[in-house]
Amino acid sequence: MDTEMKDLEKIAPELSKLKNENPFRVPEGYFDDFAARLQSKIEAEQVVVPSKKSTIIRYLKPAIGLAAGFALIFSLAYWPLKSLTPKQVAKNNTIEMDINDMLFASAVEAIDVNSFYELLEKPANAEQLSDDDVAAYVKNNVSEYEIYSATNGN
Amino acid sequence: MENDDHGLLELLKHDHTKGQAFQTLVKTYQERLYWHIRKIVLNHDDADDVLQNTFMKVWRNLDKFREESSLYTWLYRIATNESITFVNSVKKRSLIPMNDTTEFLLQNMISDEFFEGDEIQVRLQEAILKLPEKQRIVFNMKYFDDMKYEDMSEILETSVGALKASFHHAVKKIEDHLKNRD
């Protein structure tokens, strides 16, 4: 016995009055069947040993879930926000001109102001087209198939 | 004991003798480890759970045991750590202040049908519960099990001097608690 235990009476008289007996009990036969119970638990655990693959997936699952969450948030937040950036707003507000508009615009630009007014003041029927002119135009510019399609389409 | 452990460790290394040797190990140490755990967690059912967890951990880690310490020391160390983990989990689960945790563990012990202590034993356990974790374990190992400081030093990985100081402080605090009973 160590000196500390022998000297207990001197340093702690109240404590040394107590018998250091064990106040705890166990159920009857507890230690007799503990090893068998433990063995069953070990065997049960060995049956349900997870495969390496499923273990890897189990570890990766939170990371995959997190990545998917970020992707969703990104797609929901990024595109609406992107359309509000100054560059994008400017781009959206630009009038897009197709090639026909551009040709028309350049043709109008090419006409000088006097010719333009002259054109506006000129009566619409100033130059009457004869039936022969129309027939000649149609013959040269429109195919039979287009005429057939146009008449049957209506 | 050391020689017996040496033979047991040899048997634990081979697959065809491992199972039987482990059964021997459990039967040899179950009672000592149980009482060590019980004095920390206090309730029988909790002690049973912690003892099972301790041996499960031993079984899973047999290959990692490097024999740098004795088998006895290694087992006690695992049992101590498992017991501390259990008490900390109770504290975390209940989300209650330290004093209330002491009260919770005390009531858990009193309501246990396998506690047969009288009023003064309850008071002693109450005083022990109020000690810091390390002092509490040192006091139990010395006062109830009369374990040598050298063995405790290996298990708790603490110097003999520090253990003696811990026991001395623990005794003083318990004495004060017992004196101020009113």
Side-chain angles (χ1 to χ4, degrees), chain B residues 143-154:
Chain B
Y143 181 76
F144 291 110
D145 303 338
D146 198 19
M147 193 180 276
K148 287 179 186 167
Y149 279 118
E150 287 71 22
D151 291 341
M152 286 165 64
S153 172
E154 269 196 64

Side-chain angles (χ1 to χ4, degrees), chain A residues 1-2 4-5 8 11-16 18-28 30-32 34-39 41-42 45-46, chain B residues 22-23 26 30-31 34-35 38 42 44 48 51-52 55-56 59-60 109 114-117 120-121 124 142-143 149 164 167 171 175 178-179 181:
Chain A
M1 190 178 277
D2 291 283
E4 280 75 11
M5 288 303 283
L8 200 64
I11 58 168
E14 288 292 318
L15 180 62
S16 62
L18 303 178
K19 295 173 194 164
N20 54 354
E21 59 186 24
N22 185 2
F24 303 108
R25 300 284 172 266
V26 291
E28 213 177 313
Y30 172 72
F31 292 116
D32 298 332
F34 177 81
R37 281 197 300 126
L38 183 72
Q39 189 58 32
K41 200 172 175 181
I42 288 171
E45 193 191 62
Q46 280 171 337
Chain B
F22 186 69
Q23 287 281 311
V26 172
Q30 60 179 8
E31 209 162 331
Y34 173 85
W35 290 119
R38 179 75 183 269
L42 302 177
H44 167 70
D48 180 46
L51 184 65
Q52 285 190 45
F55 279 119
M56 293 292 282
W59 172 254
R60 288 190 209 114
M109 179 195 75
F114 300 109
F115 176 74
E116 293 178 353
I120 193 71
Q121 286 290 348
L124 174 62
K142 191 74 208 161
Y143 181 76
Y149 279 118
K164 285 183 177 177
F167 182 70
V171 166
E175 182 68 9
L178 293 174
K179 272 182 187 166
R181 65 177 69 186

Side-chain angles (χ1 to χ4, degrees), chain B residues 25-120:
Chain B
L25 180 146
V26 172
K27 282 177 182 163
T28 307
Y29 286 102
Q30 60 179 8
E31 209 162 331
R32 273 179 285 176
L33 292 183
Y34 173 85
W35 290 119
H36 176 62
I37 293 165
R38 179 75 183 269
K39 282 174 196 120
I40 301 172
V41 303
L42 302 177
N43 177 287
H44 167 70
D45 290 336
D46 296 336
D48 180 46
D49 285 346
V50 175
L51 184 65
Q52 285 190 45
N53 291 344
T54 299
F55 279 119
M56 293 292 282
K57 201 163 236 182
V58 170
W59 172 254
R60 288 190 209 114
N61 292 286
L62 275 173
D63 299 338
K64 292 175 193 163
F65 179 54
R66 295 277 168 262
E67 297 178 49
E68 285 157 2
S69 60
S70 69
L71 182 62
Y72 159 86
T73 304
W74 186 55
L75 296 175
Y76 259 81
R77 200 177 290 159
I78 295 173
T80 307
N81 289 339
E82 285 296 309
S83 306
I84 292 168
T85 303
F86 172 81
V87 173
N88 288 339
S89 75
V90 169
K91 286 178 192 171
K92 271 186 194 166
R93 256 203 325 259
S94 51
L95 292 171
I96 47 181
M98 180 60 195
N99 284 348
D100 293 343
T101 307
T102 303
E103 190 57 34
F104 173 82
L105 290 169
L106 195 69
Q107 289 307 321
N108 199 25
M109 179 195 75
I110 294 167
S111 61
D112 184 0
E113 60 174 313
F114 300 109
F115 176 74
E116 293 178 353
D118 54 13
E119 194 189 330
I120 193 71

